[in-house]
Protein backbone atom coordinates (compact mmCIF):
# COMPACT_ATOMS: atom_id res chain seq x y z
CA UNK A 1 0.00 0.00 0.00
CA UNK A 2 1.36 3.39 -1.06
CA UNK A 3 0.24 6.75 0.29
CA UNK A 4 -0.81 9.96 -1.40
CA UNK A 5 -1.67 13.46 -0.25
CA UNK A 6 -4.13 15.48 -2.29
CA UNK A 7 -3.97 19.23 -1.93
CA UNK A 8 -7.09 19.59 -4.02
CA UNK A 9 -7.93 22.86 -5.70
CA UNK A 10 -7.56 26.24 -4.04
CA UNK A 11 -10.64 27.82 -2.58
CA UNK A 12 -11.01 31.59 -2.17
CA UNK A 13 -7.30 32.00 -1.53
CA UNK A 14 -4.16 29.90 -2.14
CA UNK A 15 -3.78 26.84 0.05
CA UNK A 16 -1.58 27.71 3.04
CA UNK A 17 1.67 25.76 3.37
CA UNK A 18 1.15 23.77 0.18
CA UNK A 19 4.91 23.47 -0.38
CA UNK A 20 5.63 22.62 3.26
CA UNK A 21 2.98 19.89 3.24
CA UNK A 22 4.47 18.39 0.09
CA UNK A 23 7.91 18.36 1.70
CA UNK A 24 6.55 16.73 4.86
CA UNK A 25 4.69 14.13 2.79
CA UNK A 26 7.92 13.27 1.00
CA UNK A 27 9.80 13.03 4.30
CA UNK A 28 7.16 10.64 5.67
CA UNK A 29 7.47 8.36 2.67
CA UNK A 30 4.33 9.35 0.79
CA UNK A 31 4.54 8.17 -2.80
CA UNK A 32 2.35 10.79 -4.51
CA UNK A 33 1.22 14.39 -4.21
CA UNK A 34 -1.99 15.39 -6.05
CA UNK A 35 -3.37 18.78 -7.05
CA UNK A 36 -6.73 19.48 -8.66
CA UNK A 37 -8.73 22.13 -10.48
CA UNK A 38 -12.39 23.07 -10.80
CA UNK A 39 -13.17 26.62 -11.93
CA UNK A 40 -10.53 28.66 -10.12
CA UNK A 41 -6.91 27.65 -9.59
CA UNK A 42 -5.19 25.34 -12.07
CA UNK A 43 -3.52 22.05 -11.17
CA UNK A 44 -0.11 22.41 -12.84
CA UNK A 45 1.27 25.66 -11.41
CA UNK A 46 1.39 24.43 -7.78
CA UNK A 47 3.10 21.23 -8.94
CA UNK A 48 5.79 23.26 -10.71
CA UNK A 49 6.49 25.15 -7.48
CA UNK A 50 6.49 21.92 -5.46
CA UNK A 51 8.86 20.29 -7.96
CA UNK A 52 11.61 22.78 -7.08
CA UNK A 53 11.33 22.02 -3.34
CA UNK A 54 11.12 18.21 -3.47
CA UNK A 55 13.11 15.41 -5.08
CA UNK A 56 11.32 12.07 -4.76
CA UNK A 57 7.55 12.36 -4.37
CA UNK A 58 5.55 11.81 -7.57
CA UNK A 59 3.72 14.90 -8.81
CA UNK A 60 0.20 14.08 -9.93
CA UNK A 61 -2.77 16.01 -11.22
CA UNK A 62 -5.95 14.70 -9.69
CA UNK A 63 -7.72 15.66 -11.73
CA UNK A 64 -6.88 17.78 -14.73
CA UNK A 65 -10.02 18.66 -16.69
CA UNK A 66 -9.84 17.44 -20.28
CA UNK A 67 -11.89 20.34 -21.63
CA UNK A 68 -9.46 22.86 -20.19
CA UNK A 69 -6.58 21.80 -22.45
CA UNK A 70 -6.26 20.21 -25.84
CA UNK A 71 -4.39 16.91 -25.70
CA UNK A 72 -1.34 18.53 -27.31
CA UNK A 73 -1.33 21.40 -24.80
CA UNK A 74 -1.62 18.93 -21.92
CA UNK A 75 1.25 16.87 -23.36
CA UNK A 76 3.45 19.97 -23.70
CA UNK A 77 2.72 20.94 -20.09
CA UNK A 78 3.29 17.44 -18.73
CA UNK A 79 6.49 17.01 -20.74
CA UNK A 80 7.85 20.35 -19.50
CA UNK A 81 7.05 19.57 -15.86
CA UNK A 82 8.50 16.08 -16.26
CA UNK A 83 11.84 17.64 -17.21
CA UNK A 84 11.69 20.14 -14.34
CA UNK A 85 10.89 17.38 -11.82
CA UNK A 86 13.30 14.80 -13.21
CA UNK A 87 10.61 12.36 -14.31
CA UNK A 88 8.11 12.51 -11.46
CA UNK A 89 4.92 13.49 -13.31
CA UNK A 90 1.75 11.36 -13.28
CA UNK A 91 -1.28 12.79 -14.99
CA UNK A 92 -4.72 12.21 -13.49
CA UNK A 93 -7.43 13.39 -15.88
CA UNK A 94 -11.22 13.51 -16.02
CA UNK A 95 -14.05 14.86 -18.16
CA UNK A 96 -15.60 16.89 -15.29
CA UNK A 97 -19.34 17.41 -15.84
CA UNK A 98 -21.71 19.32 -18.11
CA UNK A 99 -22.17 22.21 -15.67
CA UNK A 100 -18.44 23.01 -15.70
CA UNK A 101 -17.64 22.00 -19.27
CA UNK A 102 -20.50 23.96 -20.81
CA UNK A 103 -20.76 26.71 -18.21
CA UNK A 104 -17.06 27.41 -17.62
CA UNK A 105 -15.21 26.17 -20.69
CA UNK A 106 -17.97 26.93 -23.15
CA UNK A 107 -17.77 23.54 -24.83
CA UNK A 108 -20.43 20.90 -25.48
CA UNK A 109 -20.44 17.93 -23.12
CA UNK A 110 -21.19 15.37 -25.77
CA UNK A 111 -19.79 11.86 -26.05
CA UNK A 112 -17.34 12.16 -23.11
CA UNK A 113 -16.17 8.55 -23.52
CA UNK A 114 -15.22 9.15 -27.14
CA UNK A 115 -13.51 12.43 -26.26
CA UNK A 116 -11.47 10.76 -23.51
CA UNK A 117 -10.31 7.95 -25.77
CA UNK A 118 -9.32 10.33 -28.57
CA UNK A 119 -7.60 12.67 -26.12
CA UNK A 120 -5.43 9.85 -24.75
CA UNK A 121 -4.44 8.68 -28.24
CA UNK A 122 -3.13 12.13 -29.21
CA UNK A 123 -1.47 12.75 -25.82
CA UNK A 124 0.49 9.53 -26.09
CA UNK A 125 1.56 10.26 -29.66
CA UNK A 126 3.05 13.58 -28.54
CA UNK A 127 4.89 12.06 -25.58
CA UNK A 128 6.21 9.07 -27.53
CA UNK A 129 7.51 11.36 -30.30
CA UNK A 130 7.80 8.65 -32.94
CA UNK A 131 6.79 11.05 -35.67
CA UNK A 132 4.54 13.99 -36.59
CA UNK A 133 1.21 13.81 -34.80
CA UNK A 134 -1.75 12.92 -36.98
CA UNK A 135 -5.25 12.07 -35.82
CA UNK A 136 -8.65 12.34 -37.44
CA UNK A 137 -11.43 11.68 -34.96
CA UNK A 138 -14.89 13.00 -34.25
CA UNK A 139 -13.72 15.17 -31.34
CA UNK A 140 -10.18 16.11 -32.39
CA UNK A 141 -8.51 16.52 -35.77
CA UNK A 142 -4.77 17.00 -36.29
CA UNK A 143 -4.17 18.66 -38.67
CA UNK A 144 -7.45 20.54 -38.43
CA UNK A 145 -9.75 19.92 -41.36
CA UNK A 146 -10.87 23.35 -42.56
CA UNK A 147 -9.81 26.87 -41.68
CA UNK A 148 -7.02 28.06 -44.01
CA UNK A 149 -6.12 24.45 -44.93
CA UNK A 150 -2.48 25.21 -44.15
CA UNK A 151 -2.06 22.92 -41.14
CA UNK A 152 0.53 20.14 -41.34
CA UNK A 153 1.47 17.31 -38.98
CA UNK A 154 4.06 18.46 -36.44
CA UNK A 155 6.47 16.70 -34.12
CA UNK A 156 7.38 18.10 -30.71
CA UNK A 157 10.49 20.28 -30.81
CA UNK A 158 11.30 19.23 -27.24
CA UNK A 159 12.41 15.66 -26.65
CA UNK A 160 10.52 14.09 -23.73
CA UNK A 161 12.46 12.91 -20.70
CA UNK A 162 10.39 9.70 -20.82
CA UNK A 163 8.50 8.29 -23.78
CA UNK A 164 5.63 7.28 -21.48
CA UNK A 165 4.09 9.44 -18.77
CA UNK A 166 1.53 7.55 -16.64
CA UNK A 167 -2.04 8.75 -17.10
CA UNK A 168 -4.80 7.86 -14.64
CA UNK A 169 -8.49 8.39 -15.30
CA UNK A 170 -10.96 9.76 -12.80
CA UNK A 171 -14.09 7.76 -13.63
CA UNK A 172 -17.40 6.83 -12.04
CA UNK A 173 -19.59 5.22 -14.71
CA UNK A 174 -19.08 1.51 -15.59
CA UNK A 175 -17.98 2.30 -19.16
CA UNK A 176 -15.56 4.98 -17.98
CA UNK A 177 -14.08 2.67 -15.35
CA UNK A 178 -13.66 0.01 -18.04
CA UNK A 179 -11.88 2.58 -20.21
CA UNK A 180 -9.62 3.41 -17.25
CA UNK A 181 -8.77 -0.28 -16.91
CA UNK A 182 -8.35 -1.06 -20.60
CA UNK A 183 -6.41 1.97 -21.87
CA UNK A 184 -5.06 4.00 -18.94
CA UNK A 185 -2.31 3.38 -16.39
CA UNK A 186 -4.61 3.74 -13.41
CA UNK A 187 -8.00 4.65 -12.01
CA UNK A 188 -8.81 7.50 -9.62
CA UNK A 189 -12.04 6.62 -7.79
CA UNK A 190 -13.59 9.35 -5.66
CA UNK A 191 -15.72 7.13 -3.38
CA UNK A 192 -14.94 3.46 -2.81
CA UNK A 193 -15.26 1.02 0.05
CA UNK A 194 -12.55 -1.58 0.69
CA UNK A 195 -15.23 -4.13 1.51
CA UNK A 196 -17.26 -3.44 -1.63
CA UNK A 197 -14.70 -3.47 -4.47
CA UNK A 198 -16.31 -6.55 -6.00
CA UNK A 199 -18.87 -4.34 -7.78
CA UNK A 200 -16.06 -3.07 -10.05
CA UNK A 201 -14.73 -6.52 -10.96
CA UNK A 202 -16.15 -6.62 -14.50
CA UNK A 203 -15.20 -3.01 -15.27
CA UNK A 204 -11.63 -3.56 -14.06
CA UNK A 205 -11.08 -6.84 -15.91
CA UNK A 206 -8.75 -5.17 -18.42
CA UNK A 207 -6.32 -4.12 -15.69
CA UNK A 208 -5.79 -7.45 -13.96
CA UNK A 209 -2.68 -8.39 -15.94
CA UNK A 210 -1.07 -4.93 -15.90
CA UNK A 211 1.94 -5.08 -13.61
CA UNK A 212 2.06 -1.45 -12.49
CA UNK A 213 -1.64 -0.58 -12.69
CA UNK A 214 -2.68 1.92 -10.01
CA UNK A 215 -5.96 2.36 -8.15
CA UNK A 216 -5.55 5.55 -6.14
CA UNK A 217 -8.51 5.81 -3.78
CA UNK A 218 -9.50 9.04 -2.07
CA UNK A 219 -10.51 8.72 1.59
CA UNK A 220 -11.59 11.45 3.97
CA UNK A 221 -9.70 11.20 7.27
CA UNK A 222 -10.85 12.74 10.53
CA UNK A 223 -9.34 11.84 13.89
CA UNK A 224 -11.68 12.18 16.86
CA UNK A 225 -12.37 9.94 19.84
CA UNK A 226 -16.06 10.52 19.11
CA UNK A 227 -16.87 8.63 15.90
CA UNK A 228 -20.08 10.57 15.32
CA UNK A 229 -18.17 13.86 15.34
CA UNK A 230 -15.48 12.42 13.08
CA UNK A 231 -18.05 11.40 10.48
CA UNK A 232 -19.72 14.82 10.29
CA UNK A 233 -17.31 16.38 7.74
CA UNK A 234 -17.71 13.29 5.53
CA UNK A 235 -21.48 13.65 5.67
CA UNK A 236 -21.28 17.32 4.70
CA UNK A 237 -19.02 16.40 1.80
CA UNK A 238 -21.41 13.70 0.60
CA UNK A 239 -24.37 16.04 0.92
CA UNK A 240 -22.59 18.56 -1.31
CA UNK A 241 -21.48 16.06 -3.93
CA UNK A 242 -24.76 14.16 -4.14
CA UNK A 243 -26.87 17.30 -3.96
CA UNK A 244 -24.93 20.19 -5.45
CA UNK A 245 -22.08 18.80 -7.56
CA UNK A 246 -24.08 18.08 -10.68
CA UNK A 247 -27.48 18.71 -12.19
CA UNK A 248 -30.54 17.36 -10.42
CA UNK A 249 -31.42 15.10 -13.31
CA UNK A 250 -27.85 13.96 -14.01
CA UNK A 251 -25.46 13.68 -11.10
CA UNK A 252 -22.59 11.24 -11.70
CA UNK A 253 -21.67 11.12 -8.00
CA UNK A 254 -25.21 10.19 -7.00
CA UNK A 255 -25.33 7.48 -9.65
CA UNK A 256 -22.02 6.09 -8.42
CA UNK A 257 -23.17 5.90 -4.80
CA UNK A 258 -26.33 4.23 -6.06
CA UNK A 259 -24.28 1.46 -7.65
CA UNK A 260 -22.56 0.95 -4.29
CA UNK A 261 -25.93 -0.10 -2.89
CA UNK A 262 -27.21 3.23 -1.61
CA UNK A 263 -29.53 4.32 -4.42
CA UNK A 264 -32.51 5.20 -2.20
CA UNK A 265 -30.33 6.97 0.33
CA UNK A 266 -28.53 8.94 -2.41
CA UNK A 267 -31.85 10.08 -3.84
CA UNK A 268 -33.03 11.17 -0.41
CA UNK A 269 -29.83 13.14 0.19
CA UNK A 270 -30.26 14.96 -3.11
CA UNK A 271 -33.94 15.67 -2.47
CA UNK A 272 -33.23 17.13 0.97
CA UNK A 273 -30.32 19.15 -0.42
CA UNK A 274 -32.52 20.84 -3.02
CA UNK A 275 -35.36 21.39 -0.59
CA UNK A 276 -33.52 22.38 2.60
CA UNK A 277 -29.81 22.80 1.83
CA UNK A 278 -26.53 21.08 2.68
CA UNK A 279 -26.88 21.20 6.47
CA UNK A 280 -30.14 19.26 6.49
CA UNK A 281 -28.97 16.91 3.73
CA UNK A 282 -25.95 15.94 5.81
CA UNK A 283 -28.29 14.75 8.56
CA UNK A 284 -29.76 12.03 6.32
CA UNK A 285 -26.40 10.62 5.16
CA UNK A 286 -26.16 7.11 6.66
CA UNK A 287 -23.37 6.55 9.17
CA UNK A 288 -22.48 3.29 7.41
CA UNK A 289 -21.97 4.99 4.05
CA UNK A 290 -19.86 7.80 5.50
CA UNK A 291 -17.76 5.31 7.47
CA UNK A 292 -17.20 2.89 4.57
CA UNK A 293 -15.52 5.44 2.32
CA UNK A 294 -13.46 7.20 4.99
CA UNK A 295 -10.98 6.79 7.83
CA UNK A 296 -12.66 8.26 10.88
CA UNK A 297 -12.64 7.95 14.65
CA UNK A 298 -9.87 7.40 17.19
CA UNK A 299 -6.34 6.95 15.85
CA UNK A 300 -6.20 3.27 16.85
CA UNK A 301 -9.47 2.57 15.03
CA UNK A 302 -8.15 4.26 11.90
CA UNK A 303 -4.97 2.16 11.99
CA UNK A 304 -7.07 -0.99 12.21
CA UNK A 305 -9.27 0.11 9.32
CA UNK A 306 -6.22 0.75 7.14
CA UNK A 307 -5.67 -3.02 7.24
CA UNK A 308 -8.98 -3.43 5.35
CA UNK A 309 -7.71 -1.14 2.61
CA UNK A 310 -4.42 -3.05 2.43
CA UNK A 311 -6.36 -6.23 1.62
CA UNK A 312 -8.29 -4.51 -1.18
CA UNK A 313 -7.21 -3.95 -4.83
CA UNK A 314 -6.43 -0.32 -3.97
CA UNK A 315 -2.72 0.41 -4.52
CA UNK A 316 -2.54 3.99 -3.21
CA UNK A 317 -4.52 5.41 -0.34
CA UNK A 318 -4.73 9.19 -0.52
CA UNK A 319 -6.00 11.66 2.02
CA UNK A 320 -6.77 15.34 1.61
CA UNK A 321 -5.62 18.45 3.38
CA UNK A 322 -7.70 18.94 6.51
CA UNK A 323 -10.00 21.98 6.62
CA UNK A 324 -8.88 22.33 10.25
CA UNK A 325 -5.38 23.45 9.32
CA UNK A 326 -1.82 22.37 8.61
CA UNK A 327 -1.16 20.86 12.04
CA UNK A 328 -4.17 18.56 11.76
CA UNK A 329 -3.12 17.53 8.25
CA UNK A 330 0.37 16.68 9.52
CA UNK A 331 -1.13 14.67 12.36
CA UNK A 332 -3.28 12.69 9.91
CA UNK A 333 -0.32 12.06 7.63
CA UNK A 334 1.77 10.77 10.54
CA UNK A 335 -0.97 8.40 11.72
CA UNK A 336 -1.41 7.02 8.20
CA UNK A 337 2.34 6.58 7.70
CA UNK A 338 2.58 4.71 11.00
CA UNK A 339 -0.37 2.52 10.05
CA UNK A 340 1.33 1.06 6.99
CA UNK A 341 4.87 0.92 8.38
Amino acid sequence: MKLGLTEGYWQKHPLPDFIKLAQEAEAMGFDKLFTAEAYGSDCFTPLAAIATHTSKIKLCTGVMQLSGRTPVNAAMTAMTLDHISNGRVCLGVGVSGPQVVEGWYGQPFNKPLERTREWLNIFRQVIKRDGPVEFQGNQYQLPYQGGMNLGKPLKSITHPLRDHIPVYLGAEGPKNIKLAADEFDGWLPIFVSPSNMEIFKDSLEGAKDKKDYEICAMVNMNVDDNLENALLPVKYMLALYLGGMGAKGENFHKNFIGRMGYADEAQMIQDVYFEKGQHEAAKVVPDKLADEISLCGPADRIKERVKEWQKSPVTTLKIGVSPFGTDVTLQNMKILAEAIS
Side-chain angles (χ1 to χ4, degrees):
M1 175 69 70
K2 291 171 282 191
L3 299 179
L5 176 68
T6 178
E7 296 191 336
Y9 49 81
W10 293 356
Q11 299 292 329
K12 189 174 181 180
H13 301 291
L15 178 70
D17 302 319
F18 74 94
I19 291 176
K20 175 184 176 181
L21 286 171
Q23 291 173 315
E24 291 289 346
E26 181 174 83
M28 291 184 195
F30 276 57
D31 185 65
K32 300 178 185 69
L33 187 286
F34 293 82
T35 57
E37 59 190 9
Y39 40 95
S41 61
D42 82 288
C43 58
F44 280 108
T45 308
L47 288 181
I50 290 166
T52 65
H53 294 277
T54 56
S55 60
K56 295 181 294 184
I57 196 166
K58 295 183 180 70
L59 306 174
C60 311
T61 61
V63 298
M64 185 209 85
Q65 297 167 319
L66 293 185
S67 295
R69 297 168 190 81
T70 64
V72 168
N73 176 265
M76 292 165 62
T77 307
M79 187 166 53
T80 303
L81 183 57
D82 208 42
H83 274 288
I84 291 171
S85 66
N86 195 28
R88 290 187 281 144
V89 169
C90 302
L91 214 62
V93 303
V95 296
S96 189
Q99 287 183 319
V100 171
V101 172
E102 297 182 0
W104 186 246
Y105 292 115
Q107 298 178 23
F109 190 79
N110 60 318
K111 298 185 177 179
L113 200 68
E114 178 182 72
R115 174 174 287 201
T116 305
R117 186 177 285 110
E118 291 188 8
W119 186 98
L120 182 66
N121 184 303
I122 297 169
F123 177 90
R124 285 197 165 144
Q125 281 194 59
V126 176
I127 299 299
K128 197 161 184 64
R129 202 179 175 272
D130 279 344
V133 179
E134 296 186 71
F135 187 86
Q136 294 299 318
N138 295 321
Q139 303 275 345
Y140 300 101
Q141 297 87 41
L142 288 175
Y144 180 73
Q145 300 300 297
M148 297 179 70
N149 291 311
L150 296 176
K152 67 176 184 178
L154 297 172
K155 185 177 180 179
S156 173
I157 298 170
T158 305
H159 290 235
L161 183 66
R162 299 178 289 168
D163 65 4
H164 182 86
I165 291 177
V167 187
Y168 311 146
L169 181 63
E172 293 181 278
K175 291 181 180 178
N176 279 316
I177 297 172
K178 186 178 187 306
L179 180 63
D182 292 348
E183 300 187 29
F184 284 76
D185 301 290
W187 173 39
L188 301 178
I190 187 171
F191 309 122
V192 287
S193 163
S195 60
N196 198 18
M197 293 294 290
E198 191 69 18
I199 63 173
F200 307 116
K201 182 179 179 180
D202 291 343
S203 295
L204 291 173
E205 183 70 18
K208 68 178 183 179
D209 295 324
K210 294 183 179 180
K211 181 182 176 182
D212 297 319
Y213 193 79
E214 288 270 14
I215 298 178
C216 306
M218 180 65 199
V219 293
N220 283 265
M221 182 173 173
N222 299 300
V223 182
D224 194 307
D225 288 340
N226 185 310
L227 179 58
E228 186 176 347
N229 290 341
L231 290 174
L232 271 178
V234 184
K235 292 183 177 183
Y236 272 91
M237 177 274 296
L238 284 168
L240 176 63
Y241 272 80
L242 305 187
M245 299 288 278
K248 188 171 185 178
E250 189 57 69
N251 183 308
F252 302 139
H253 309 303
K254 181 173 78 71
N255 297 343
F256 186 79
I257 291 295
R259 288 193 295 276
M260 289 177 63
Y262 292 93
D264 291 342
E265 292 86 347
Q267 185 61 59
M268 180 185 295
I269 294 165
Q270 187 190 66
D271 290 343
V272 175
Y273 182 93
F274 276 97
E275 183 181 350
K276 299 180 180 179
Q278 184 181 1
H279 180 73
E280 293 300 317
K283 293 180 181 179
V284 300
V285 175
D287 288 353
K288 186 175 184 294
L289 169 60
D291 197 29
E292 272 190 53
I293 65 169
S294 66
L295 289 170
C296 291
D300 288 343
R301 181 181 191 269
I302 287 173
K303 290 178 181 179
E304 280 299 312
R305 290 216 58 237
V306 167
K307 295 177 183 177
E308 297 178 42
W309 289 95
Q310 290 177 305
K311 296 174 185 176
S312 77
V314 171
T315 60
T316 297
L317 200 61
K318 59 176 183 167
I319 60 170
V321 172
S322 171
F324 303 110
T326 298
D327 289 344
V328 175
T329 302
L330 291 172
Q331 168 197 267
N332 292 350
M333 291 162 57
K334 182 179 180 182
I335 291 171
L336 200 57
E338 289 173 350
I340 69 161
S341 63

